[in-house]
């Protein structure tokens, strides 16, 4: 314990904002090609160097003429003018109309000398070499004069203008091909930890390796905030190596962001690098997720250390760092999109820190918006996509009650609630069925989780392979379950007896899973046959308490050589090329919330459940 650095005197979120706001993370300007200027911010004023348009031009297809020649014209008494030529867009006029003459002209074409107005073709009638005009026009009518859009010398755009398609259009019209913009802050991104592997490279899960999530999510966040992300090689948990990477990033960037190695562990050394080689302003913030945050300087660069868990890292970045990058890039703070909702279930927290609760938006049968907590923990990357926004719980609030009205801060203003919200069993057929629905959200938390959420009125539907009185069944199927073994069944497993009697490594499913309940029932029958207690059988099975989450996970453990037998489905074994020993068949029930039977998403699912024969055909062991 002597090597640990404890989090003492945690900074408040307000102090963290002030500290980061005080960092200098870049300024200045640069010129970029017009094609690359969209989304940037003008660094200086831009004046028009020419008239736009640069000539008097026709506003419509019709005839250029002298306005005074049309005075008194009407439908009953049109004037007749002699046609003396034509002007197309992009042509220099070759003829000038005199008194009693007209020139046919296209939209946007240069008005010929002598003509001071034009008449739309709809108010004329051409005949041989003449045109009859049935309306009077005034000088300048239907003509855009030179400089009418913007005149040479006029202020076109001011400094600080956020360039969008509209401003790019104006700059194009002015002939500007190089645009002076605020320089994007260069942000170096360093993910730390010996366990990290870049996506695309081979992963050794046995060594505890994981793919690097933070580098890519942080880089995307930097780019969205107006910065230029630069990814650096991973820094291991060695102080000298980490110092080299951090110093290189500090030498080349305005801001350095690291993730991981900011906690109190003895092997976490980033805080020592900053503390000893730079200046550490802040270590730890009273917020969850994201307590282990560092703020300081290293050489001439600003530095912020993000937590290692992806949800924590992205939450801290979005809350504290992104605003600072936007300010440096000259971008305005976006309007915070919020919605009012009622808590779908009670959410407790006794940590004494401000907490940011990830929320998924759903609707009940009346269309009322509900806020459903979807937090799986800071280490769960799926929380990033299952959440639509956050609800902030102050440090002195211990719970949000079911039905309590809350404000949800949305991650983006275009968030729409799912048409269907469900929780339940991890099932291959239902997973395929979800692909046929419009914007569903489904959390795989097992049969017991599905029943619990449905009972509490949180979800529209639940999927359970455990019989229940909860909900209204709208469909279902059967699936064959049993023991997954290596291809060829080298241990000669024939049933549950070998699990009890032989030295076999077993991989189980969690207690929330319906498969686990089916296994428990089968073991109880075996215990009765042998005249034993069920717990005696369970204690004899090596690995019975070792559980993995997904329906494919036991089979994948077997393929990796980490187990001899796993609990699973025939369909899963067939899909992954494993052997299978059948034990029984269970029914999967799709259950609807009785109060939401008329909800469009539930009705859509009900219809699709009548058309699953093709799915049953491709999944071995499945049936009606």
């Amino acid at each position: 314990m002597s090597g640990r650095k404890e989090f003492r005197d945690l900074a408040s979120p307000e102090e963290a904002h002030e500290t980061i706001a005080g960092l200098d993370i870049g300024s200045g300007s640069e010129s970029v090609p017009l094609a690359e200027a969209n989304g940037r911010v003008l660094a200086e004023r831009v004046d028009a160097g020419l008239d736009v348009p640069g000539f008097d031009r026709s506003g419509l297809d019709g005839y250029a003429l002298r306005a005074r020649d049309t005075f008194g014209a009407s439908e009953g008494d049109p004037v007749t003018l002699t046609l003396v030529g034509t002007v197309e867009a992009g042509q220099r006029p070759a003829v000038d109309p005199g008194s009693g003459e007209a020139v046919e002209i296209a939209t946007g074409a240069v008005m010929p000398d002598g003509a001071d107005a034009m008449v739309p073709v709809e108010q004329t009638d051409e005949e041989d070499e003449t045109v009859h005009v049935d309306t009077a026009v005034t000088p300048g009518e239907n003509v855009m004069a030179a400089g009418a859009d913007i005149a040479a010398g006029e202020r076109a755009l001011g400094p600080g203008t956020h360039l969008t398609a509209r401003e790019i259009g104006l700059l194009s019209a002015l002939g500007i091909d190089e645009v002076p913009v605020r320089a994007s802050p260069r942000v170096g991104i360093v993910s730390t930890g010996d366990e990290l592997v870049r996506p695309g490279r081979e992963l050794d899960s046995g060594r505890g390796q994981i793919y690097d999530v933070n580098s890519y999510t942080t880089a995307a966040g930097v780019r969205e905030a107006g910065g230029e992300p630069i990814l650096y090689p991973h820094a291991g948990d060695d102080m000298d190596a980490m110092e080299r990477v951090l110093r290189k990033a500090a030498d080349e960037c305005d801001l350095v962001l690291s993730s991981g190695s900011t906690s109190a562990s003895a092997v976490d050394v980033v805080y020592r690098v900053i503390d000893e080689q730079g200046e550490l302003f802040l270590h730890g913030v009273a917020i969850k997720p994201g307590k282990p945050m560092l703020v300081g300087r290293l050489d001439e660069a600003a530095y912020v250390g993000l937590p290692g868990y992806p949800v924590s890292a992205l939450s801290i970045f979005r809350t504290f760092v992104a605003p600072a990058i936007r300010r440096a890039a000259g971008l305005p703070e976006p309007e915070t999109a919020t919605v009012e909702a009622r808590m779908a279930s009670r959410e407790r927290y006794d940590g004494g820190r401000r907490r940011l609760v990830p929320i998924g938006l759903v609707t009940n049968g009346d269309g009322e918006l509900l806020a459903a907590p979807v937090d799986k923990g800071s280490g769960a990357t799926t929380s990033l996509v299952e959440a639509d926004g956050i609800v902030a719980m102050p440090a002195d609030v211990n719970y949000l009650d079911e039905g309590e009205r809350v404000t949800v801060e949305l991650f983006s203003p275009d968030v729409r609630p799912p048409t269907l919200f469900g929780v339940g069993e991890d099932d291959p057929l239902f997973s395929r069925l979800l692909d046929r629905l419009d914007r569903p959200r489904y959390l795989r938390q097992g049969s017991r989780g599905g029943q619990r959420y449905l009972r509490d009125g949180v979800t529209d539907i639940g999927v359970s392979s455990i019989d229940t009185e909860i909900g209204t069944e709208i469909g279902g199927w059967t699936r064959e379950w049993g023991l997954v073994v290596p291809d060829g069944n080298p241990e000669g497993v024939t049933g549950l007896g070998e699990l009890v009697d032989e030295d076999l490594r077993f991989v189980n499913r969690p207690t929330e899973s319906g498969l686990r309940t089916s296994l428990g029932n089968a073991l109880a029958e075996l215990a009765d046959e042998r005249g034993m207690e069920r717990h005696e059988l369970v204690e004899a099975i090596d690995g019975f308490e070792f559980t993995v989450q997904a329906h494919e996970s036991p089979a994948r453990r077997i393929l990796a050589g980490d187990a001899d037998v796993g609990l699973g489905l025939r369909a899963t074994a067939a899909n992954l090329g494993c052997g299978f020993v059948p034990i029984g068949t269970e029914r999967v029930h799709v259950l609807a919330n009785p109060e939401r039977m008329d909800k469009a998403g539930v009705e859509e699912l009900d219809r699709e459940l009548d058309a699953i024969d093709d799915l049953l055909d491709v999944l071995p062991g499945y049936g009606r």
Side-chain angles (χ1 to χ4, degrees):
M1 294 295 292
S2 59
R4 287 185 177 272
K5 179 166 182 173
E6 300 295 338
F7 294 107
R8 296 192 177 94
D9 301 323
L10 295 179
S12 68
E14 293 72 25
E15 290 172 320
H17 276 296
E18 291 176 5
T19 303
I20 293 177
L23 299 175
D24 178 12
I25 62 171
S27 58
S29 63
E30 60 183 347
S31 290
V32 299
L34 179 64
E36 300 175 11
N38 188 43
R40 302 295 293 272
V41 175
L42 270 184
E44 58 190 61
R45 167 178 170 151
V46 174
D47 290 341
L50 73 167
D51 288 338
V52 179
F55 53 90
D56 293 345
R57 70 183 182 191
S58 171
L60 300 164
D61 289 340
Y63 298 90
L65 40 73
R66 299 185 179 193
R68 63 176 175 269
D69 287 342
T70 69
F71 292 167
S74 66
E75 291 185 13
D77 187 19
V79 299
T80 300
L81 305 177
T82 302
L83 281 176
V84 294
T86 300
V87 182
E88 299 291 349
Q91 289 183 345
R92 183 185 297 276
V95 61
D96 298 329
S99 178
E101 295 178 335
V103 174
E104 186 177 359
I105 192 167
T107 302
V110 178
M111 290 287 291
D113 290 341
D116 61 3
M118 66 85 58
V119 176
V121 68
E122 294 83 2
Q123 294 175 309
T124 65
D125 183 21
E126 187 175 332
E127 182 180 5
D128 297 329
E129 300 299 317
T130 63
V131 59
H132 305 294
V133 180
D134 60 15
T135 186
V137 292
T138 58
E141 191 167 345
N142 301 318
V143 176
M144 177 175 276
D149 192 351
I150 186 169
E154 274 193 84
R155 181 180 186 270
L157 297 170
T161 300
H162 183 210
L163 299 177
T164 68
R166 296 170 297 171
E167 289 77 18
I168 296 297
L170 176 55
L171 293 171
S172 302
L174 295 175
I176 294 174
D177 63 344
E178 289 287 329
V179 186
V181 296
R182 290 279 294 268
S184 296
R186 290 169 58 87
V187 182
I189 298 171
V190 180
S191 287
T192 66
D194 293 326
E195 75 281 9
L196 296 180
V197 176
R198 294 281 195 204
R201 298 181 182 177
E202 188 173 349
L203 192 72
D204 186 351
S205 297
R207 291 177 50 198
Q209 290 183 341
I210 58 174
Y211 281 121
D212 176 15
V213 174
N214 289 342
S215 289
Y216 298 93
T217 56
T218 304
V222 167
R223 193 172 289 108
E224 290 174 358
E228 178 188 350
I230 302 171
L231 269 63
Y232 286 85
H234 290 142
D237 291 327
D238 172 78
M239 185 166 180
D240 292 337
M242 192 174 295
E243 182 179 350
R244 285 194 296 271
V245 175
L246 290 174
R247 280 193 174 278
K248 178 176 174 60
D251 184 56
E252 298 173 346
C253 299
D254 303 300
L255 169 66
V256 178
L257 298 176
S258 72
S259 62
S261 294
T262 56
S263 74
S265 171
V267 299
D268 293 346
V269 296
V270 165
Y271 75 84
R272 285 191 278 136
V273 173
I274 304 302
D275 200 21
E276 296 174 14
Q277 307 299 328
E279 189 174 5
L280 187 62
F281 302 141
L282 180 152
H283 185 198
V285 180
I287 193 169
K288 178 182 174 65
K291 171 184 170 184
M293 179 174 73
L294 306 176
V295 180
R297 295 198 66 83
L298 183 60
D299 295 332
E300 297 302 313
Y303 168 78
V304 176
L306 304 173
Y309 283 140
V311 173
S312 297
L314 195 58
S315 296
I316 288 295
F317 174 84
R318 181 178 178 276
T319 303
F320 297 101
V321 184
I325 295 175
R326 282 192 289 268
R327 284 193 297 271
L331 294 175
E333 195 67 21
E335 291 187 14
T336 301
T338 61
V339 295
E340 297 295 314
R342 294 190 182 277
M343 290 296 294
S345 60
R346 183 181 242 218
E347 182 71 6
R348 293 188 57 83
Y349 177 60
D350 300 321
R353 288 181 278 154
R354 186 184 184 205
R355 184 184 174 207
L356 306 178
V357 184
I359 290 294
L361 291 177
V362 297
T363 54
N364 61 18
D366 297 326
E368 183 182 22
L369 206 57
L370 302 178
V374 294
D375 190 4
K376 296 182 179 178
S378 295
T381 55
T382 52
S383 293
L384 297 175
V385 295
E386 290 173 356
D388 297 313
I390 58 171
V391 168
M393 289 181 66
D396 58 351
V397 172
N398 292 329
Y399 65 88
L400 298 172
D401 214 349
E402 179 182 350
E404 183 174 342
R405 186 168 291 280
V406 294
T407 299
V408 182
E409 183 180 332
L410 301 178
F411 292 144
S412 63
D414 57 351
V415 166
R416 293 184 298 164
T419 56
L420 180 78
F421 179 44
V423 173
E425 187 75 5
D426 184 14
D427 180 80
L429 189 149
F430 192 74
S431 179
R432 289 166 170 79
L433 191 59
L434 288 172
D435 295 337
R436 301 179 176 182
L437 306 179
D438 176 35
R439 291 186 297 110
R441 176 175 291 142
Y442 186 71
L443 308 182
R444 294 164 181 83
Q445 298 190 12
S447 292
R448 297 189 188 281
Q451 292 181 18
R452 184 170 59 253
Y453 276 82
L454 194 61
R455 180 198 63 214
D456 293 344
V458 176
T459 54
D460 302 322
I461 60 107
V463 179
S464 173
S465 61
I466 302 173
D467 292 341
T468 179
E469 299 294 324
I470 300 171
T472 300
E473 182 161 337
I474 58 174
W477 50 86
T478 61
R479 61 183 189 178
E480 192 174 9
W481 69 275
L483 303 177
V484 180
V485 296
D487 187 29
N489 194 3
E491 298 294 338
V493 176
T494 61
L496 297 178
E498 283 85 359
L499 287 183
V500 178
D501 302 330
E502 305 295 335
D503 186 18
L504 299 173
R505 295 168 300 169
F506 180 61
V507 182
N508 207 344
R509 295 292 309 284
T511 54
E512 296 281 278
S513 167
L515 283 178
R516 175 69 170 261
T517 297
S518 294
L519 174 63
N521 294 336
L523 286 174
E525 293 179 6
L526 180 60
D528 288 341
E529 293 174 7
R530 294 191 175 191
M532 300 172 60
E533 295 294 330
R534 178 182 175 279
H535 71 87
E536 295 177 290
L537 291 182
V538 168
E539 291 169 359
I541 298 175
D542 180 13
F544 185 87
E545 298 302 329
F546 178 61
T547 64
V548 288
Q549 192 65 34
H551 72 86
E552 286 192 356
S553 298
R556 293 188 178 276
R557 295 277 181 169
I558 290 165
L559 290 172
D562 296 331
D564 302 308
V565 184
L567 179 61
L569 303 172
R570 179 181 288 279
T572 303
N575 181 53
L576 296 178
C578 295
F580 182 74
V581 179
I583 301 297
T585 299
E586 62 180 16
R587 179 168 177 79
V588 178
H589 311 269
V590 181
L591 309 164
N593 187 327
E595 297 180 359
R596 303 186 192 175
M597 295 291 291
D598 294 333
K599 187 175 178 179
V602 175
E603 292 180 338
E604 181 188 23
L605 174 61
D606 195 9
R607 290 192 298 271
E608 292 295 340
L609 284 168
D610 292 332
I612 60 172
D613 287 345
D614 61 324
L615 298 179
L616 295 173
D617 290 341
V618 298
L619 290 170
Y622 273 69
R624 285 286 188 180

